[in-house]
Amino acid sequence: MSAPTTASGSAGPIAAEAPAALTDRAPQVPAERLVAEMVPPPRFATVSFDNYITDPGQPSQAEAVEALRAFAARLDGGAGAKGGRRRHWFRREAKPAATGGGPRGMYLDGGYGVGKTHLLASLWHATPAAPELKAFGTFVELTNLVGALGFQQTVRTLSGHRLLCIDEFELDDPGDTVLVSTLLGKLVEAGVALAATSNTLPGKLGEGRFAAADFLREIQGLSAHFRTLRIDGEDYRHRGLPAAPAPYSDDTVTRAAHRTPGASLDAFPALLEHLSRVHPSRYGAMCDGIQAVCLTGVGPVPDQSTALRLVVLADRLYDREVPVLASGVPFDRLFSEEMLSGGYRKKYFRAISRLTALARDAKRLADTPGGR
């Protein structure tokens, strides 16, 4: 019996074990893991201000780097870091400013693909404090931490930190926004420095712009502590790169999944249905150990709730640098024109950008006989 062939006709070995299926995974994530994983994800584990490539035509990028460098330099670690241990409980007495008298928080505003997460992670790395005295997570991950630990315990846990970085701060859900706003107020009182990136509703705040007054009113009582940095520019993920590969056939995707160690294989409609049964905070854990995601039958997303869940999955796959090989329609046709012109369009364009980058990474899986 002859060996199966790739799309290019080359023989390629089939993995001994069948690929995993994301639809078979519904992980439970303990609270301890939620706290331990509040660090920059793998894609941003080694980033720095030095390897952030600024666009000479966008001076706001270089200005943001310098402002964040200065902010990190003012975070000298404080008593908790100098003592080599956390302050475990929220104290009543007034805390010294975490930033040496400068702004207590930095807010990075800009379009998708300008490197806001890179800069936020670089700030985390550059802050002179032990890793356990710094926290990094998305807005969704932070709200899930509050849900798992309870509000008071979250305050106690995070008030011993020198820095809290929140990626993709969202204004979609008023309840979550007020919850996190109250939490951040407590943390600032405890001397914690804050940094965040903007992921606001463009329909409310303006296309590609951040209405600082609107956001800072949500962070009740913190407006005097934040400095907003506007970061302009093009999407770096596709600047000067070739177009993303066209979708492959179902057969090519299936064969690639079978010969690629650690790959998953799912029908796209079934995966969308499965996402509705798993809390978005668990999507990262759902991808544990997955080296490549292979999807057959990709088509337009049917409704906004499904689309928003897919955005979260795309973010977690991008964070973990998991390539995505797919058949069906191109990723730029996932979301309807109505979605792309509505209040969540900024999220959808970010998802398209990130999935397109991951599709480019996955091209080698279809082109290389060994799937490597």
Side-chain angles (χ1 to χ4, degrees):
M1 181 176 178
S2 60
T5 60
T6 65
S8 60
S10 302
I14 296 296
E17 297 182 4
L22 294 179
T23 51
D24 290 338
R25 297 180 166 202
Q28 299 296 317
V29 183
E32 310 83 73
R33 172 172 172 171
L34 296 176
V35 176
E37 290 187 345
M38 292 194 74
V39 297
R43 180 176 291 273
F44 302 100
T46 60
V47 298
S48 68
F49 295 130
D50 290 336
N51 59 32
Y52 176 78
I53 301 174
T54 60
D55 183 345
Q58 302 291 346
S60 63
Q61 295 183 6
E63 291 167 3
V65 170
E66 292 310 307
L68 290 169
R69 282 187 191 274
F71 185 71
R74 293 196 298 270
L75 299 176
D76 61 4
K82 291 175 183 177
R85 54 193 176 89
R86 297 188 187 190
R87 294 166 290 164
H88 287 283
W89 298 97
F90 179 66
R91 295 180 173 87
R92 294 178 180 272
E93 66 268 18
K95 299 296 184 296
T99 58
R104 303 278 286 280
M106 302 293 273
Y107 201 95
L108 313 184
D109 167 49
Y112 58 90
V114 297
K116 299 187 302 298
T117 303
H118 182 126
L119 289 174
L120 189 67
S122 297
L123 173 64
W124 189 93
H125 290 300
T127 297
E132 65 270 18
L133 297 176
K134 302 180 285 187
F136 184 106
T138 64
F139 184 88
V140 170
E141 289 168 333
L142 185 60
T143 57
N144 188 60
L145 182 66
V146 176
L149 297 182
F151 183 82
Q152 293 300 333
Q153 185 58 43
T154 302
V155 170
R156 294 175 184 130
T157 298
L158 296 181
S159 65
H161 287 61
R162 298 304 299 161
L163 173 69
L164 171 62
C165 295
I166 309 170
D167 200 19
E168 302 162 15
F169 199 106
E170 301 176 354
L171 295 180
D172 314 357
D173 185 320
D176 281 347
T177 300
V178 172
L179 174 69
V180 173
S181 298
T182 305
L183 172 65
L184 298 189
K186 296 290 189 182
L187 296 180
V188 165
E189 289 179 24
V192 181
L194 307 173
T197 64
S198 171
N199 188 17
T200 55
L201 291 173
K204 177 180 180 182
L205 301 178
E207 180 75 51
R209 299 297 302 175
F210 171 61
D214 284 356
F215 170 75
L216 295 173
R217 280 197 297 269
E218 298 293 334
I219 307 298
Q220 298 168 4
L222 299 184
S223 59
H225 303 302
F226 274 85
R227 175 183 174 186
T228 302
L229 298 178
R230 172 67 192 177
I231 305 172
D232 300 297
E234 301 175 29
D235 186 346
Y236 78 93
R237 283 183 282 271
H238 310 295
R239 194 189 308 157
L241 294 177
Y248 296 91
S249 68
D250 286 353
D251 182 66
T252 297
V253 172
T254 300
R255 287 176 178 271
H258 278 273
R259 68 169 175 255
T260 302
S264 64
L265 176 62
D266 293 274
F268 187 67
L271 178 60
L272 294 184
E273 176 64 25
H274 182 65
L275 293 180
S276 69
R277 297 190 292 269
V278 179
H279 192 276
S281 64
R282 301 174 184 171
Y283 290 0
M286 189 172 70
C287 300
D288 282 353
I290 298 297
Q291 301 301 310
V293 166
C294 297
L295 301 173
T296 59
V298 171
V301 179
D303 58 77
Q304 191 139 265
S305 295
T306 302
L308 291 172
R309 288 191 288 266
L310 181 61
V311 167
V312 177
L313 178 62
D315 287 340
R316 300 294 80 78
L317 293 174
Y318 183 78
D319 288 345
R320 288 159 174 76
E321 301 182 301
V322 179
V324 178
L325 190 72
S327 67
V329 305
F331 288 133
D332 61 5
R333 289 169 51 193
L334 281 173
F335 309 109
S336 68
E337 288 299 321
E338 182 179 3
M339 291 178 184
L340 293 178
S341 61
Y344 297 100
R345 61 185 178 271
K346 192 171 183 180
K347 292 186 178 187
Y348 299 145
F349 281 117
R350 185 184 77 236
I352 291 170
S353 170
R354 290 184 164 187
L355 287 171
T356 298
L358 296 178
R360 191 180 292 118
D361 293 343
K363 185 175 184 297
R364 58 187 172 79
L365 302 179
D367 294 346
T368 304
R372 299 182 183 280

